[in-house]
Amino acid sequence: MHAWAPGDGYRYDLALEVPDGEGCVLDRYDLKVGMRTVRVAGARLLVNDEPVHLRGFGRHEDQLVHGKGHDPVLAVHDHALLAWFGANSFRTAHYPHAEEVLDLADEDGLLVIDEAPAVGQNEAFSGGRLAPATFGEGPGLIGAAAQEAHARLLRELVARDRNHPSVVAWSVANEPASSAPLAGEYFGPLFALVRTLDPTRPVTFANEGRHRPETCRVTPMADLLLLNRYYGWYEDNADLESAEQHLRAELATWAALGKPIVVSENGADALPGTHHADPEPWSEEYQAAVLEMSGRVFDGESAVVGEHVWAFADFATAPGLIRADGNRKGVLTRDRRPKAAAWVLRRRWRARAAGERADGAREEGAPTPEGGVDWGDGGRSAE
Protein backbone atom coordinates (compact mmCIF):
# COMPACT_ATOMS: atom_id res chain seq x y z
CA MET A 1 0.00 0.00 0.00
CA HIS A 2 1.19 3.51 -0.85
CA ALA A 3 0.33 5.64 2.19
CA TRP A 4 -0.89 9.21 2.00
CA ALA A 5 1.71 11.27 3.85
CA PRO A 6 2.75 14.89 4.47
CA GLY A 7 4.04 16.20 1.17
CA ASP A 8 2.86 13.09 -0.65
CA GLY A 9 -0.84 13.33 -1.45
CA TYR A 10 -1.09 9.83 -2.90
CA ARG A 11 -4.71 8.69 -3.20
CA TYR A 12 -6.62 5.73 -4.53
CA ASP A 13 -9.75 5.89 -6.67
CA LEU A 14 -12.68 4.32 -4.85
CA ALA A 15 -15.80 3.55 -6.90
CA LEU A 16 -19.10 2.44 -5.39
CA GLU A 17 -21.68 1.01 -7.79
CA VAL A 18 -25.32 0.05 -7.33
CA PRO A 19 -26.31 -2.63 -9.86
CA ASP A 20 -29.76 -3.84 -10.72
CA GLY A 21 -30.66 -7.50 -10.85
CA GLU A 22 -29.40 -7.81 -14.44
CA GLY A 23 -25.92 -6.42 -13.86
CA CYS A 24 -26.60 -2.90 -15.11
CA VAL A 25 -25.21 -0.05 -13.02
CA LEU A 26 -28.00 2.11 -11.65
CA ASP A 27 -25.75 4.54 -9.81
CA ARG A 28 -22.05 5.13 -9.24
CA TYR A 29 -20.12 7.26 -6.78
CA ASP A 30 -16.41 7.99 -7.19
CA LEU A 31 -14.20 9.14 -4.35
CA LYS A 32 -10.46 9.69 -3.99
CA VAL A 33 -9.22 8.24 -0.70
CA GLY A 34 -5.89 8.40 1.08
CA MET A 35 -4.66 5.71 3.46
CA ARG A 36 -2.83 6.99 6.54
CA THR A 37 -2.92 6.90 10.33
CA VAL A 38 -2.78 9.76 12.81
CA ARG A 39 -2.42 9.56 16.57
CA VAL A 40 -0.96 11.24 19.61
CA ALA A 41 1.76 9.40 21.54
CA GLY A 42 2.98 11.22 24.62
CA ALA A 43 4.03 14.70 23.53
CA ARG A 44 4.25 13.77 19.84
CA LEU A 45 1.84 13.95 16.92
CA LEU A 46 2.34 10.97 14.62
CA VAL A 47 1.24 10.50 11.03
CA ASN A 48 1.86 6.97 9.78
CA ASP A 49 3.71 6.47 13.08
CA GLU A 50 6.22 9.17 12.14
CA PRO A 51 6.46 12.38 14.22
CA VAL A 52 5.43 15.55 12.42
CA HIS A 53 6.04 19.23 13.15
CA LEU A 54 3.28 21.47 11.82
CA ARG A 55 4.39 24.60 9.97
CA GLY A 56 1.74 26.93 8.66
CA PHE A 57 -1.02 29.39 9.38
CA GLY A 58 -4.49 30.16 10.50
CA ARG A 59 -6.36 31.11 7.34
CA HIS A 60 -9.49 33.00 6.40
CA GLU A 61 -11.45 32.62 3.18
CA ASP A 62 -11.05 36.29 2.32
CA GLN A 63 -9.48 38.40 -0.37
CA LEU A 64 -9.50 41.90 -1.76
CA VAL A 65 -12.61 42.80 -3.83
CA HIS A 66 -14.13 39.31 -3.59
CA GLY A 67 -14.41 39.52 0.19
CA LYS A 68 -15.48 36.52 2.23
CA GLY A 69 -16.01 33.15 0.65
CA HIS A 70 -14.36 30.50 -1.48
CA ASP A 71 -12.61 31.44 -4.71
CA PRO A 72 -11.24 28.40 -6.58
CA VAL A 73 -8.51 30.32 -8.40
CA LEU A 74 -7.35 32.05 -5.23
CA ALA A 75 -7.34 28.72 -3.37
CA VAL A 76 -4.90 27.25 -5.89
CA HIS A 77 -2.77 30.39 -5.67
CA ASP A 78 -2.78 30.28 -1.85
CA HIS A 79 -1.67 26.66 -1.83
CA ALA A 80 1.19 27.57 -4.16
CA LEU A 81 2.15 30.23 -1.61
CA LEU A 82 2.04 27.66 1.20
CA ALA A 83 4.58 25.65 -0.79
CA TRP A 84 6.66 28.81 -1.30
CA PHE A 85 6.82 29.22 2.46
CA GLY A 86 7.68 25.59 3.10
CA ALA A 87 4.47 25.22 5.10
CA ASN A 88 2.93 21.79 5.57
CA SER A 89 -0.33 22.60 7.36
CA PHE A 90 -3.05 25.09 8.26
CA ARG A 91 -6.06 25.52 10.54
CA THR A 92 -9.46 26.37 9.06
CA ALA A 93 -9.88 29.28 11.43
CA HIS A 94 -12.60 29.62 12.56
CA TYR A 95 -15.10 27.66 10.52
CA PRO A 96 -15.18 24.84 7.97
CA HIS A 97 -13.66 26.05 4.72
CA ALA A 98 -15.05 25.02 1.34
CA GLU A 99 -14.66 21.31 0.70
CA GLU A 100 -12.68 22.16 -2.43
CA VAL A 101 -9.97 23.56 -0.13
CA LEU A 102 -9.71 20.18 1.58
CA ASP A 103 -9.58 18.48 -1.82
CA LEU A 104 -6.53 20.63 -2.61
CA ALA A 105 -5.00 19.83 0.77
CA ASP A 106 -5.49 16.12 0.11
CA GLU A 107 -3.79 16.47 -3.26
CA ASP A 108 -0.90 18.55 -1.89
CA GLY A 109 -0.25 16.40 1.17
CA LEU A 110 -1.07 19.22 3.59
CA LEU A 111 -2.12 18.59 7.19
CA VAL A 112 -5.31 20.35 8.32
CA ILE A 113 -6.77 21.11 11.73
CA ASP A 114 -10.48 21.32 10.88
CA GLU A 115 -12.36 23.76 13.12
CA ALA A 116 -16.04 24.04 14.01
CA PRO A 117 -17.72 27.46 13.63
CA ALA A 118 -17.66 28.15 17.39
CA VAL A 119 -15.88 31.41 18.13
CA GLY A 120 -16.62 34.18 20.60
CA GLN A 121 -17.84 32.00 23.48
CA ASN A 122 -16.05 34.39 25.77
CA GLU A 123 -17.28 37.43 27.68
CA ALA A 124 -14.37 39.59 26.54
CA PHE A 125 -15.04 38.95 22.86
CA SER A 126 -18.84 38.96 22.88
CA GLY A 127 -19.39 42.70 22.70
CA GLY A 128 -21.17 42.70 26.06
CA ARG A 129 -23.65 39.99 25.12
CA LEU A 130 -22.29 37.33 27.50
CA ALA A 131 -22.18 37.35 31.30
CA PRO A 132 -18.88 36.56 33.08
CA ALA A 133 -19.99 32.99 33.86
CA THR A 134 -20.47 32.43 30.09
CA PHE A 135 -22.00 28.93 30.31
CA GLY A 136 -25.27 27.96 31.98
CA GLU A 137 -28.96 28.72 31.70
CA GLY A 138 -30.32 32.25 31.83
CA PRO A 139 -29.79 35.70 30.29
CA GLY A 140 -26.33 36.23 28.88
CA LEU A 141 -25.36 32.57 29.22
CA ILE A 142 -24.65 29.82 26.71
CA GLY A 143 -26.88 26.89 27.63
CA ALA A 144 -28.46 23.68 26.42
CA ALA A 145 -29.96 25.15 23.23
CA ALA A 146 -26.58 26.48 22.11
CA GLN A 147 -24.92 23.20 23.07
CA GLU A 148 -27.43 21.32 20.92
CA ALA A 149 -26.73 23.61 17.95
CA HIS A 150 -22.99 23.22 18.55
CA ALA A 151 -23.39 19.42 18.50
CA ARG A 152 -25.32 19.59 15.23
CA LEU A 153 -22.55 21.62 13.61
CA LEU A 154 -19.95 19.11 14.80
CA ARG A 155 -21.96 16.23 13.33
CA GLU A 156 -22.14 18.06 10.00
CA LEU A 157 -18.42 18.87 10.07
CA VAL A 158 -17.32 15.29 10.75
CA ALA A 159 -19.80 13.82 8.28
CA ARG A 160 -18.60 16.11 5.50
CA ASP A 161 -14.84 15.97 6.11
CA ARG A 162 -14.08 12.57 7.65
CA ASN A 163 -12.93 11.04 4.35
CA HIS A 164 -10.26 13.69 3.75
CA PRO A 165 -6.83 12.30 4.67
CA SER A 166 -5.53 15.86 5.09
CA VAL A 167 -7.70 16.35 8.18
CA VAL A 168 -5.56 15.23 11.13
CA ALA A 169 -7.47 16.80 14.04
CA TRP A 170 -10.87 18.24 14.90
CA SER A 171 -10.99 21.59 16.71
CA VAL A 172 -14.22 21.94 18.69
CA ALA A 173 -13.97 25.72 19.29
CA ASN A 174 -11.75 28.78 19.16
CA GLU A 175 -10.94 30.69 22.35
CA PRO A 176 -13.93 29.84 24.55
CA ALA A 177 -14.09 30.83 28.22
CA SER A 178 -12.53 27.50 29.11
CA SER A 179 -11.93 28.39 32.77
CA ALA A 180 -15.59 29.26 33.42
CA PRO A 181 -17.27 27.21 36.17
CA LEU A 182 -19.50 25.22 33.77
CA ALA A 183 -17.11 25.03 30.81
CA GLY A 184 -16.46 21.35 31.50
CA GLU A 185 -20.17 20.54 31.57
CA TYR A 186 -20.68 22.35 28.28
CA PHE A 187 -17.71 20.93 26.37
CA GLY A 188 -17.52 17.43 27.85
CA PRO A 189 -20.46 16.04 25.82
CA LEU A 190 -19.16 17.77 22.66
CA PHE A 191 -15.71 16.18 22.92
CA ALA A 192 -17.34 12.82 23.61
CA LEU A 193 -19.60 13.25 20.58
CA VAL A 194 -16.69 13.93 18.22
CA ARG A 195 -14.79 10.90 19.53
CA THR A 196 -17.89 8.75 18.94
CA LEU A 197 -18.31 10.11 15.42
CA ASP A 198 -14.62 9.65 14.61
CA PRO A 199 -12.37 7.70 16.99
CA THR A 200 -9.42 7.89 14.56
CA ARG A 201 -8.36 11.54 14.98
CA PRO A 202 -7.23 13.72 17.90
CA VAL A 203 -9.80 16.19 19.27
CA THR A 204 -8.76 19.64 20.47
CA PHE A 205 -9.74 23.31 20.85
CA ALA A 206 -7.88 26.62 20.64
CA ASN A 207 -7.03 27.96 24.10
CA GLU A 208 -7.06 31.73 24.73
CA GLY A 209 -4.22 33.31 26.72
CA ARG A 210 -6.00 33.94 30.02
CA HIS A 211 -6.78 30.26 30.56
CA ARG A 212 -3.77 28.46 32.03
CA PRO A 213 -3.25 24.79 32.92
CA GLU A 214 -4.26 25.29 36.54
CA THR A 215 -7.61 26.95 35.65
CA CYS A 216 -8.65 25.62 32.23
CA ARG A 217 -11.45 23.05 32.56
CA VAL A 218 -11.34 21.94 28.91
CA THR A 219 -7.63 21.17 28.55
CA PRO A 220 -7.97 17.72 30.23
CA MET A 221 -10.34 16.71 27.42
CA ALA A 222 -7.97 17.63 24.59
CA ASP A 223 -5.60 15.14 22.96
CA LEU A 224 -3.57 17.93 21.39
CA LEU A 225 -3.06 21.40 22.89
CA LEU A 226 -3.69 24.44 20.70
CA LEU A 227 -2.43 27.67 22.26
CA ASN A 228 -3.18 31.12 20.85
CA ARG A 229 -0.47 33.40 22.25
CA TYR A 230 0.59 36.94 21.35
CA TYR A 231 3.69 37.68 23.39
CA GLY A 232 5.29 40.77 21.91
CA TRP A 233 1.95 42.15 20.77
CA TYR A 234 -0.99 42.04 23.20
CA GLU A 235 1.43 41.13 25.99
CA ASP A 236 4.89 42.67 26.37
CA ASN A 237 4.32 44.96 23.43
CA ALA A 238 7.59 46.60 22.31
CA ASP A 239 9.52 44.53 24.86
CA LEU A 240 10.70 41.41 23.06
CA GLU A 241 13.17 40.45 25.76
CA SER A 242 10.34 40.12 28.30
CA ALA A 243 8.10 38.52 25.67
CA GLU A 244 10.66 35.81 25.03
CA GLN A 245 11.08 35.06 28.73
CA HIS A 246 7.35 34.94 29.39
CA LEU A 247 6.54 32.80 26.34
CA ARG A 248 9.28 30.34 27.25
CA ALA A 249 8.07 30.13 30.85
CA GLU A 250 4.43 29.60 29.90
CA LEU A 251 5.17 26.90 27.34
CA ALA A 252 7.12 25.02 30.01
CA THR A 253 4.01 24.90 32.21
CA TRP A 254 1.96 23.42 29.37
CA ALA A 255 4.71 20.97 28.43
CA ALA A 256 4.54 19.57 31.96
CA LEU A 257 1.12 18.13 31.06
CA GLY A 258 2.83 15.66 28.71
CA LYS A 259 0.70 16.51 25.67
CA PRO A 260 1.86 17.79 22.26
CA ILE A 261 1.56 21.55 21.80
CA VAL A 262 0.73 23.47 18.66
CA VAL A 263 1.05 27.24 19.04
CA SER A 264 -2.01 27.79 16.90
CA GLU A 265 -1.78 31.58 16.80
CA ASN A 266 1.12 33.96 17.28
CA GLY A 267 2.31 37.09 15.55
CA ALA A 268 1.86 40.86 15.38
CA ASP A 269 0.21 43.46 13.18
CA ALA A 270 2.27 45.17 10.49
CA LEU A 271 1.23 47.93 8.14
CA PRO A 272 2.78 47.25 4.72
CA GLY A 273 5.46 49.78 3.92
CA THR A 274 5.93 50.91 7.52
CA HIS A 275 9.63 50.58 8.37
CA HIS A 276 11.84 51.39 11.35
CA ALA A 277 15.58 50.86 11.74
CA ASP A 278 14.90 50.15 15.42
CA PRO A 279 11.84 47.90 15.10
CA GLU A 280 8.70 49.47 16.52
CA PRO A 281 5.18 47.98 16.72
CA TRP A 282 3.21 48.15 13.46
CA SER A 283 6.39 48.12 11.38
CA GLU A 284 7.27 45.21 9.11
CA GLU A 285 10.55 44.85 10.99
CA TYR A 286 8.78 44.45 14.32
CA GLN A 287 6.45 41.75 13.01
CA ALA A 288 9.48 39.90 11.65
CA ALA A 289 11.29 40.26 14.99
CA VAL A 290 8.29 38.85 16.90
CA LEU A 291 8.24 35.77 14.69
CA GLU A 292 12.01 35.30 14.96
CA MET A 293 11.72 35.48 18.76
CA SER A 294 8.84 33.02 18.81
CA GLY A 295 10.74 30.58 16.62
CA ARG A 296 13.67 30.55 19.04
CA VAL A 297 11.34 29.71 21.90
CA PHE A 298 9.55 26.96 19.97
CA ASP A 299 12.85 25.36 19.04
CA GLY A 300 13.79 25.19 22.70
CA GLU A 301 10.66 23.29 23.82
CA SER A 302 10.42 19.69 22.63
CA ALA A 303 6.69 19.47 23.38
CA VAL A 304 5.97 22.10 20.69
CA VAL A 305 5.05 20.04 17.64
CA GLY A 306 3.65 22.87 15.56
CA GLU A 307 3.56 26.59 14.88
CA HIS A 308 0.68 28.28 13.07
CA VAL A 309 1.20 31.98 12.53
CA TRP A 310 -1.77 34.30 12.65
CA ALA A 311 -2.35 35.05 9.94
CA PHE A 312 -1.65 33.90 6.41
CA ALA A 313 -2.86 37.19 4.90
CA ASP A 314 -4.43 40.44 6.06
CA PHE A 315 -8.22 40.31 6.12
CA ALA A 316 -11.22 42.60 6.53
CA THR A 317 -12.78 43.16 9.95
CA ALA A 318 -15.31 45.48 11.52
CA PRO A 319 -13.81 48.87 12.42
CA GLY A 320 -12.12 49.13 15.80
CA LEU A 321 -9.38 50.87 17.74
CA ILE A 322 -7.03 47.88 17.41
CA ARG A 323 -7.67 47.53 13.67
CA ALA A 324 -6.04 49.58 10.92
CA ASP A 325 -8.20 49.02 7.84
CA GLY A 326 -8.73 45.42 8.92
CA ASN A 327 -6.57 42.88 10.71
CA ARG A 328 -2.94 43.41 9.68
CA LYS A 329 -1.40 40.32 11.26
CA GLY A 330 -1.01 38.66 7.89
CA VAL A 331 2.52 38.03 6.72
CA LEU A 332 1.04 38.62 3.29
CA THR A 333 -1.06 41.63 2.36
CA ARG A 334 -4.70 41.05 1.52
CA ASP A 335 -3.72 40.83 -2.17
CA ARG A 336 -0.98 38.29 -1.27
CA ARG A 337 2.17 40.41 -1.44
CA PRO A 338 4.87 39.40 1.08
CA LYS A 339 5.79 41.55 4.05
CA ALA A 340 9.26 41.27 5.57
CA ALA A 341 8.03 38.56 7.98
CA ALA A 342 7.15 36.31 5.06
CA TRP A 343 10.83 35.95 4.23
CA VAL A 344 11.64 35.13 7.87
CA LEU A 345 9.15 32.27 7.82
CA ARG A 346 10.25 31.10 4.39
CA ARG A 347 13.86 30.79 5.48
CA ARG A 348 12.91 29.09 8.74
CA TRP A 349 10.37 26.63 7.37
CA ARG A 350 12.19 25.68 4.19
CA ALA A 351 15.31 25.01 6.21
CA ARG A 352 13.30 22.78 8.55
CA ALA A 353 11.65 21.05 5.61
CA ALA A 354 15.05 20.40 4.05
CA GLY A 355 16.24 18.92 7.32
CA GLU A 356 13.29 16.50 7.32
CA ARG A 357 14.10 15.12 3.87
CA ALA A 358 15.43 11.59 4.04
CA ASP A 359 18.12 12.13 1.38
CA GLY A 360 19.46 15.27 3.07
CA ALA A 361 19.59 17.17 -0.23
CA ARG A 362 19.46 20.95 -0.08
CA GLU A 363 16.32 22.64 -1.45
CA GLU A 364 15.86 26.14 -2.79
CA GLY A 365 15.45 28.39 0.23
CA ALA A 366 17.41 26.09 2.53
CA PRO A 367 20.63 27.18 4.29
CA THR A 368 23.78 26.62 2.27
CA PRO A 369 26.88 25.05 3.84
CA GLU A 370 28.39 28.53 3.93
CA GLY A 371 25.51 29.83 6.04
CA GLY A 372 23.73 31.81 3.32
CA VAL A 373 20.45 30.96 1.64
CA ASP A 374 19.91 29.52 -1.83
CA TRP A 375 16.96 31.27 -3.44
CA GLY A 376 17.25 29.58 -6.81
CA ASP A 377 17.83 31.20 -10.20
CA GLY A 378 16.66 34.77 -10.23
CA GLY A 379 15.46 34.58 -6.62
CA ARG A 380 15.68 37.10 -3.88
CA SER A 381 18.97 37.36 -2.02
CA ALA A 382 19.29 36.34 1.61
CA GLU A 383 19.58 39.96 2.59
Side-chain angles (χ1 to χ4, degrees), residues 146-157:
Q147 187 186 51
E148 182 179 350
H150 199 156
R152 174 177 56 80
L153 292 170
L154 288 168
R155 289 189 187 95
E156 293 175 356
L157 175 67

Side-chain angles (χ1 to χ4, degrees), residues 307-347:
E307 51 195 86
H308 279 176
V309 172
W310 188 263
F312 176 69
D314 292 344
F315 56 93
T317 65
L321 293 177
I322 63 170
R323 303 291 181 228
D325 191 28
N327 191 306
R328 297 308 189 103
K329 292 186 182 66
V331 298
L332 303 173
T333 63
R334 202 175 176 206
D335 61 351
R336 282 24 180 200
R337 296 176 184 271
K339 302 178 189 177
W343 297 95
V344 170
L345 292 177
R346 187 180 196 265
R347 288 192 293 270

Side-chain angles (χ1 to χ4, degrees), residues 51-241:
V52 295
H53 185 99
L54 304 184
R55 309 179 299 272
F57 301 93
R59 294 172 62 189
H60 272 305
E61 292 185 305
D62 170 89
Q63 66 152 314
L64 193 66
V65 180
H66 183 283
K68 291 182 179 180
H70 175 63
D71 183 305
V73 176
L74 183 70
V76 172
H77 179 60
D78 283 354
H79 279 233
L81 284 169
L82 290 174
W84 181 86
F85 277 105
N88 64 3
S89 60
F90 61 90
R91 176 169 62 118
T92 66
H94 305 293
Y95 44 82
H97 289 197
E99 192 170 8
E100 291 86 349
V101 172
L102 295 182
D103 289 336
L104 284 174
D106 292 344
E107 181 179 345
D108 294 338
L110 292 170
L111 306 173
V112 178
I113 298 175
D114 207 0
E115 191 158 86
V119 61
Q121 295 174 303
N122 190 316
E123 179 200 12
F125 305 146
S126 70
R129 293 186 296 273
L130 290 176
T134 309
F135 300 103
E137 299 298 332
L141 297 175
I142 300 172
Q147 187 186 51
E148 182 179 350
H150 199 156
R152 174 177 56 80
L153 292 170
L154 288 168
R155 289 189 187 95
E156 293 175 356
L157 175 67
V158 175
R160 193 197 74 164
D161 295 347
R162 65 181 302 156
N163 289 324
H164 287 282
S166 57
V167 175
V168 294
W170 305 110
S171 175
V172 171
N174 178 72
E175 296 188 343
S178 57
S179 297
L182 296 180
E185 285 79 353
Y186 179 86
F187 281 102
L190 299 178
F191 273 77
L193 171 64
V194 176
R195 290 192 173 100
T196 299
L197 296 171
D198 178 16
T200 70
R201 292 177 173 92
V203 186
T204 185
F205 80 107
N207 170 285
E208 192 264 332
R210 289 167 297 174
H211 307 288
R212 301 301 172 90
E214 62 275 14
T215 64
C216 182
R217 300 170 189 268
V218 184
T219 287
M221 307 174 194
D223 303 304
L224 174 71
L225 303 179
L226 304 186
L227 305 180
N228 295 354
R229 295 297 184 268
Y230 288 96
Y231 288 99
W233 190 248
Y234 296 125
E235 299 181 74
D236 299 316
N237 187 275
D239 185 355
L240 293 185
E241 182 177 350

Side-chain angles (χ1 to χ4, degrees), residues 248-267:
R248 195 180 306 277
E250 187 188 346
L251 288 180
T253 66
W254 289 101
L257 299 180
K259 297 184 179 186
I261 298 168
V262 175
V263 181
S264 43
E265 291 184 23
N266 76 291

